[in-house]
Amino acid sequence: MSWISLDKAKKLEEQFAYAKVGNSNEYVYVEVPKENLIEFLTFLKESPDYQFKMFIDLTIVDHDVKSDPRFQGVIILFSPEFKERIIVKTWATNEELPTLTTLWSGAKWAEREAYDMFGIRFEGHENLVRMFMWETYPYYPLRKDFPLKGYEEVELPSLNEVERGDQLEGMFNYSRMHTAIPTLEDLEITQKARMPKKSSQIVLNWGPLHPGTHGTIWFLFDLDGEYVQQCDIIIGQLHRGVEKIAENIGYQQFIPYTDRMDYIAAINENHAYVIAAEKLMGIYDRVPEKAKWIRTMMAELSRINSHLLWLGTYALDLGALTMFLYTFREREKIMDIYEGITGARFTINYFRIGGVFADLPYGALDAIEAFIKDFPQRINDYERLLTRNRIWLSRNKDVCIITEEDVYDYGLTGAVARASGVPYDLRKIDKYDAYGEVEFDVPVGEKGDSYDRYLVRMEEMRQSARIVQQCIERLRKFSKNDPYFFQPEDPKKLKISIDGRGMKLPEGEVYASTDNPRGELGFYIFNKKASIKPYRVRIRSGAFYNLQVFTKAIIGRPIADAITLLSTLDPVVGETDR
Amino acid sequence: MSVKKVGVKPQTLIEKIFFLDFMKGLSTTIKHLFKRTITVTFPYEVLQPTIRFRGVHGLRNVDGTESDDFMSWVKKLKIKPPEMGETRCIACKFCQAACPVPELFTIKAEKLNVPEDHPHHGLKVLAVFDMDLSKCMFCGLCTQACPTDCIIHTDIYDLSAYTRRNWVLNKEMLSQIADDFVSRRRDEKFDEKSKWREDQPLWPQDEEDLRVRAKLWDGNIPKLGPNYFDQQEK
Ligand code: SF4
Ligand code: SF4
């Protein structure tokens, strides 16, 4: 991965007496005191030698109840100029940190999340309210002293008990007591807090359950006639505390949970996680070639799969119903192939830390090849229907422009960033797995309007098909006896298994990310000491940050564009909420 | 880095006046009008799940196809050596340890109540094996952890129920499910040592199934061949 070199970081140490440079595995971090944080970050952002102007992530690590100071802020930045990354750490003494929103607007939601989950207050934040939970929720769930089960304080019998008199009491761990749930009143308070100042007459609620929102997102629009003056988004309806689960479960055992984040592209979620864990284990370079190629191929198929769903529903939302039927026909073939290879169509759990769990079944490459041969023609079909259609053009062209500045400011990634002319593609920058050895182009747009985002994704599907084709050719050269799972030289020292029992990961920290259909998905794993469970897992979700720009890009646009914008941002709620 | 600019020329006047964009779109639609139907008319036609499909679990019984180290596992865990038709489960709880939702299992072994001179004195048998499938993710980790190839995924996918109670399967039910599955599809999935067959095809190769599956492949289902250069043709 492309991190700032240690030498270059050492120069920072010379310049700023308070900065301390360290490194773990391959990456470099700088520790600065809280008081100097803003000054330091401003320098990083603006100095021509560094230019870390792209915001990637902000998160908190809870160093246990007893440690003082207890919370540490971790900020990840990227320099588009030098194609390198840096991590800045700072201790949040008194559970407070200065806000970064003056430097990057993208920090707005990240800070709200940190406040929501850890109770860290950010001085100067314009409206520090909760991100996922409702406003009256009393706890901070990601703190280490919050139990995994939560506090069960509401009695909530099952419908079976109430209506059928079927006593479930005593069955397994079934319990009538549940963790807190919001009441209508709580929701009202939340809604008011999210948009404290109304500027016009009407506030339109869109969602949380509306077919157009593609999941459970709750939009608030402050409308002046048809035009949006202010907008906020309430998410969290699908929040399951995936990060908390990760901290309480074995390493391989966590992979099925990643399936359930971005369920449209489950394979890509697995991919990011296994790469991060492999890097932490230090086996990433020794994972068998064959596994890497299989993973690359599956990940690209998954990208096509995900983009097909995006295209179908996006066109459906804009009134082109037939597209949905066409794209689902192709999707079905990919799912059929998945089912044959992995045993599941949707929540796949095929990748493992150390490779994949099984070799390709007989005939898998033939089926994929048949699909890929036929696929470009299908895209042409789609494009014939849509690309030059005048209704399509007028609903998409110049709609909700996202500028290059916004991309850096909000930490946008994936197709959204590329459509705005930023060729930020981790497959090229990091060259993880076999991406360094395949040829493909990174499509970029010019304007950053919805139409560009559409074109970029269409082109991405073509490029993915190209990559898959190359993977098939390469895979055919392997022998059937080549390993598909990592074999340690000394199994006593390094225990690794497909089912994950007894696997221990060493102490250290790592941030690794992959380019998912929905942007950069990064896993920050922090391990205080070698253990069978990670100490802290932070999931940097591309969909989360991409959705944030919605609140800006929609301002001044008619309400009908909300559908277009949301579809072209293409968030998946499982990943935004985690 | 190879970067490709995307962009489309604006509509020309001719395109606009003669509605060429609509014509083109319509031609695609009309072309599809004469294509074959791709829908599988469930439930009249049922597509068999693929061989690796991860459906409802089953507990396999001893049927002479155990792996070579089966007996040594039985000894290690002090389980009464199972006879033909008895469960292979040795109550080792490996499946539970590998499961992302461990609380869905209840596994208990019991000491046999036999006099001291009985050969089975001091040995155990599996007493309880309950799985609450409403909590299961069908991830497959348990089947990969099982040392005796006892717990398996079958191809059953319809497990809707009126009450949560019906999602809890006990060991008799699980054995039955496995027996049924094994009698139908054992040779397709497992080799004679109960391991996954190396040459499992991507999808079932019986004729009826291929006919149905061909529908969703636009009537043009790919022929399966070897993946790797040294793999044998089937
Ligand atoms: S399939 Fe996964 S979740 Fe279900 S019992 Fe097995 S290990 Fe547990
Ligand atoms: S791993 Fe297999 S043998 Fe062990 S308890 Fe589970 S089903 Fe039984």
Side-chain angles (χ1 to χ4, degrees):
Chain A
M1 180 169 289
S2 39
W3 292 91
I4 185 171
S5 67
L6 202 55
D7 300 334
K8 201 171 166 188
K10 286 273 186 225
K11 282 203 196 109
L12 284 169
E13 221 171 29
E14 283 164 25
Q15 203 163 352
F16 299 94
Y18 51 74
K20 269 202 274 344
V21 174
N23 69 322
S24 163
N25 290 324
E26 52 184 352
Y27 84 62
V28 177
Y29 60 85
V30 189
E31 260 194 81
V32 294
K34 188 171 99 177
E35 296 72 41
N36 308 92
L37 181 68
I38 295 297
E39 176 200 7
F40 184 72
L41 289 178
T42 317
F43 172 80
L44 281 186
K45 187 181 174 192
E46 275 152 22
S47 144
D49 297 339
Y50 295 95
Q51 301 196 26
F52 285 102
K53 56 182 176 177
M54 186 160 169
F55 179 76
I56 299 289
D57 200 13
L58 173 149
T59 188
I60 304 286
V61 177
D62 177 359
H63 286 262
D64 215 1
V65 193
K66 284 184 220 95
S67 89
D68 184 47
R70 179 173 168 187
F71 299 100
Q72 193 176 35
V74 179
I75 299 149
I76 307 170
L77 302 173
F78 178 73
S79 156
E81 193 58 35
F82 301 105
K83 305 242 176 315
E84 54 193 22
R85 252 173 269 193
I86 195 169
I87 285 195
V88 180
K89 291 183 175 182
T90 184
W91 287 100
T93 36
N94 295 333
E95 305 184 2
E96 267 175 17
L97 275 179
T99 180
L100 305 188
T101 45
T102 44
L103 292 168
W104 294 282
S105 316
K108 224 182 286 175
W109 277 20
E111 288 177 0
R112 274 175 58 188
E113 189 185 343
Y115 165 69
D116 191 4
M117 294 292 138
F118 291 97
I120 304 294
R121 290 177 305 279
F122 290 86
E123 296 154 67
H125 191 286
E126 53 171 45
N127 184 19
L128 193 65
V129 287
R130 289 200 173 246
M131 189 74 236
F132 299 129
M133 311 308 276
W134 57 99
E135 228 44 61
T136 43
Y137 186 70
Y139 309 112
Y140 300 114
L142 279 187
R143 287 189 173 191
K144 283 284 168 193
D145 47 0
F146 185 84
L148 175 64
K149 269 185 111 176
Y151 297 108
E152 299 183 335
E153 49 200 15
V154 184
E155 189 176 5
L156 206 69
S158 128
L159 267 187
N160 275 316
E161 283 181 295
V162 178
E163 297 197 340
R164 295 166 172 267
D166 186 356
Q167 288 309 315
L168 299 170
E169 207 78 61
M171 243 181 67
F172 280 73
N173 58 352
Y174 172 75
S175 139
R176 279 169 162 239
M177 299 304 282
H178 282 246
T179 48
I181 40 166
T183 59
L184 274 181
E185 214 173 304
D186 291 328
L187 292 180
E188 223 162 87
I189 298 171
T190 308
Q191 190 197 18
K192 289 227 174 75
R194 298 294 158 88
M195 206 187 262
K197 288 186 287 289
K198 270 191 276 180
S199 60
S200 50
Q201 291 284 306
I202 308 169
V203 172
L204 181 78
N205 283 277
W206 184 33
L209 288 171
H210 184 282
T213 61
H214 299 202
T216 52
I217 315 179
W218 179 0
F219 292 85
L220 299 174
F221 295 112
D222 194 1
L223 287 182
D224 182 16
E226 280 263 294
Y227 293 86
V228 179
Q229 302 295 321
Q230 236 196 109
C231 167
D232 201 48
I233 304 176
I234 305 178
I235 55 175
Q237 287 88 352
L238 208 63
H239 177 74
R240 293 148 297 177
V242 173
E243 290 174 14
K244 186 91 181 172
I245 295 173
E247 290 160 18
N248 287 285
I249 205 168
Y251 287 91
Q252 303 280 35
Q253 274 67 41
F254 180 57
I255 301 174
Y257 287 97
T258 63
D259 283 333
R260 282 144 183 90
M261 288 176 0
D262 181 354
Y263 34 78
I264 312 292
I267 283 208
N268 301 76
E269 309 282 296
N270 298 168
H271 205 175
Y273 175 69
V274 298
I275 288 182
E278 279 165 5
K279 283 191 170 159
L280 184 60
M281 259 183 123
I283 60 166
Y284 174 69
D285 299 325
R286 289 177 287 151
V287 171
E289 277 298 291
K290 189 168 159 191
K292 287 191 173 181
W293 281 92
I294 292 177
R295 291 203 308 212
T296 309
M297 178 177 77
M298 295 294 277
E300 283 312 305
L301 264 184
S302 165
R303 186 184 308 275
I304 295 176
N305 191 356
S306 161
H307 281 359
L308 281 175
L309 182 95
W310 156 79
L311 180 63
T313 49
Y314 166 37
L316 182 72
D317 283 350
L318 297 194
L321 175 86
T322 31
M323 264 332 276
F324 185 74
L325 304 175
Y326 294 153
T327 58
F328 265 59
R329 174 188 57 194
E330 267 66 70
R331 260 193 108 211
E332 183 56 38
K333 295 178 194 164
I334 301 184
M335 304 266 243
D336 203 31
I337 294 171
Y338 276 175
E339 191 188 321
I341 297 178
T342 70
R345 296 159 60 87
F346 210 53
T347 45
I348 288 158
N349 185 27
Y350 178 51
F351 296 176
R352 289 287 187 279
I353 299 165
V356 293
F357 82 69
D359 206 346
L360 296 174
Y362 183 84
L365 290 182
D366 288 313
I368 298 173
E369 197 161 26
F371 171 76
I372 286 299
K373 283 242 162 70
D374 168 69
F375 186 61
Q377 212 189 323
R378 306 289 176 145
I379 304 183
N380 290 345
D381 259 6
Y382 308 152
E383 288 229 63
R384 261 169 84 90
L385 267 171
L386 294 178
T387 307
R388 300 186 71 78
N389 182 307
R390 65 192 67 193
I391 305 172
W392 192 254
L393 281 168
S394 53
R395 292 248 10 218
N396 282 299
K397 256 207 143 61
D398 299 324
V399 166
C400 300
I401 294 174
I402 294 172
T403 61
E404 199 179 327
E405 267 321 297
D406 288 339
V407 171
Y408 300 139
D409 204 23
Y410 281 87
L412 307 182
T413 46
V416 181
R418 295 195 274 272
S420 302
V422 182
Y424 181 77
D425 190 331
L426 290 163
R427 294 175 292 175
K428 288 276 187 199
I429 297 170
D430 283 350
K431 301 195 171 52
Y432 54 91
D433 276 1
Y435 284 112
E437 291 161 61
V438 290
E439 257 176 52
F440 66 100
D441 301 326
V442 179
V444 295
E446 274 168 33
K447 239 195 242 158
D449 55 357
S450 293
Y451 195 60
D452 272 350
R453 289 191 281 279
Y454 158 74
L455 289 175
V456 162
R457 286 209 179 85
M458 292 307 263
E459 185 58 33
E460 267 186 39
M461 284 200 267
R462 289 207 176 87
Q463 298 299 337
S464 292
R466 236 175 107 191
I467 299 174
V468 175
Q469 184 63 43
Q470 292 171 51
C471 289
I472 295 172
E473 275 155 29
R474 179 68 185 82
L475 275 168
R476 286 213 189 272
K477 299 203 184 98
F478 281 102
S479 155
K480 70 174 197 291
N481 299 322
D482 284 334
Y484 52 83
F485 191 73
F486 175 74
Q487 269 131 7
E489 293 91 51
D490 184 0
K492 281 219 187 71
K493 257 197 210 136
L494 187 75
K495 204 163 173 230
I496 178 165
S497 57
I498 286 181
D499 57 53
R501 276 175 308 118
M503 245 173 88
K504 228 179 200 183
L505 259 66
E507 127 182 34
E509 47 190 303
V510 74
Y511 176 82
S513 52
T514 59
D515 199 85
N516 275 21
R518 283 173 188 77
E520 170 175 353
L521 179 81
F523 279 85
Y524 172 75
I525 306 179
F526 174 85
N527 248 2
K528 263 190 172 170
K529 52 177 194 289
S531 70
I532 52 169
K533 292 171 187 171
Y535 184 77
R536 166 92 176 108
V537 173
R538 158 71 181 173
I539 301 160
R540 190 261 181 221
S541 147
F544 179 72
Y545 285 99
N546 286 359
L547 183 62
Q548 189 180 3
V549 82
F550 185 98
T551 51
K552 175 171 187 238
I554 196 68
I555 304 290
R557 303 289 316 177
I559 185 76
D561 286 351
I563 304 247
T564 319
L565 179 59
L566 184 67
S567 293
T568 53
L569 291 179
D570 191 25
V572 152
V573 188
E575 200 189 293
T576 57
D577 290 8
R578 280 158 281 144
Chain B
M1 192 191 285
S2 43
V3 166
K4 186 170 178 181
K5 276 244 182 295
V6 295
V8 174
K9 282 190 231 98
Q11 276 194 327
T12 57
L13 203 57
I14 299 183
E15 248 181 306
K16 267 189 196 152
I17 295 172
F18 292 105
F19 283 89
L20 287 187
D21 49 335
F22 285 179
M23 299 292 209
K24 267 190 182 168
L26 266 180
S27 71
T28 310
T29 321
I30 291 170
K31 200 171 77 194
H32 278 92
L33 207 61
F34 299 105
K35 284 208 169 157
R36 270 198 246 199
T37 355
I38 54 160
T39 0
V40 175
T41 51
F42 185 84
Y44 305 107
E45 290 173 316
V46 179
L47 207 54
Q48 262 196 72
T50 54
I51 294 140
R52 290 186 177 180
F53 186 76
R54 305 200 298 254
V56 173
H57 298 76
L59 283 182
R60 286 193 71 178
N61 290 334
V62 175
D63 59 356
T65 64
E66 294 76 45
S67 56
D68 298 329
D69 56 357
F70 177 64
M71 279 327 277
S72 66
W73 276 107
V74 169
K75 276 213 190 79
K76 217 185 273 175
L77 279 138
K78 297 212 174 60
I79 293 286
K80 173 185 93 71
E83 320 211 322
M84 226 37 167
E86 283 183 349
T87 183
R88 291 183 184 188
C89 182
I90 51 172
C92 63
K93 302 196 183 175
F94 283 4
C95 47
Q96 189 171 21
C99 180
V101 204
E103 67 265 24
L104 74 83
F105 285 99
T106 318
I107 306 172
K108 278 188 201 125
E110 241 170 34
K111 270 233 166 84
L112 275 178
N113 188 12
V114 285
E116 229 165 270
D117 51 351
H118 196 277
H120 291 160
H121 176 74
L123 298 183
K124 291 180 291 183
V125 284
L126 179 74
V128 182
F129 194 106
D130 285 351
M131 286 180 80
D132 181 0
L133 286 188
S134 67
K135 296 201 182 88
C136 175
M137 306 211 251
F138 297 97
C139 65
L141 284 165
C142 51
T143 61
Q144 284 155 13
C146 185
T148 61
D149 307 300
C150 174
I151 191 165
I152 53 163
H153 280 294
T154 66
D155 60 358
I156 298 167
Y157 50 81
D158 36 3
L159 36 52
S160 50
Y162 283 108
T163 156
R164 297 190 197 209
R165 196 176 292 283
N166 297 354
W167 276 323
V168 183
L169 304 186
N170 57 17
K171 72 174 196 293
E172 284 76 31
M173 223 126 102
L174 288 164
S175 293
Q176 217 176 7
I177 293 173
D179 276 347
D180 164 60
F181 176 75
V182 164
S183 67
R184 280 185 291 123
R185 298 182 72 167
R186 179 178 77 190
D187 297 339
E188 228 177 325
K189 187 159 178 168
F190 304 109
D191 61 13
E192 58 286 353
K193 292 286 170 218
S194 297
K195 297 285 173 229
W196 273 23
R197 270 175 67 157
E198 216 171 82
D199 57 351
Q200 289 173 350
L202 184 65
W203 45 59
Q205 293 294 305
D206 69 82
E207 235 156 71
E208 172 59 14
D209 198 68
L210 281 178
R211 188 190 65 77
V212 180
R213 198 173 294 271
K215 275 184 150 183
L216 63 95
W217 282 85
D218 302 315
N220 193 7
I221 189 161
K223 221 182 118 13
L224 306 185
N227 293 327
Y228 307 116
F229 72 87
D230 53 356
Q231 208 169 13
Q232 262 126 44
E233 191 107 21
K234 266 225 289 197

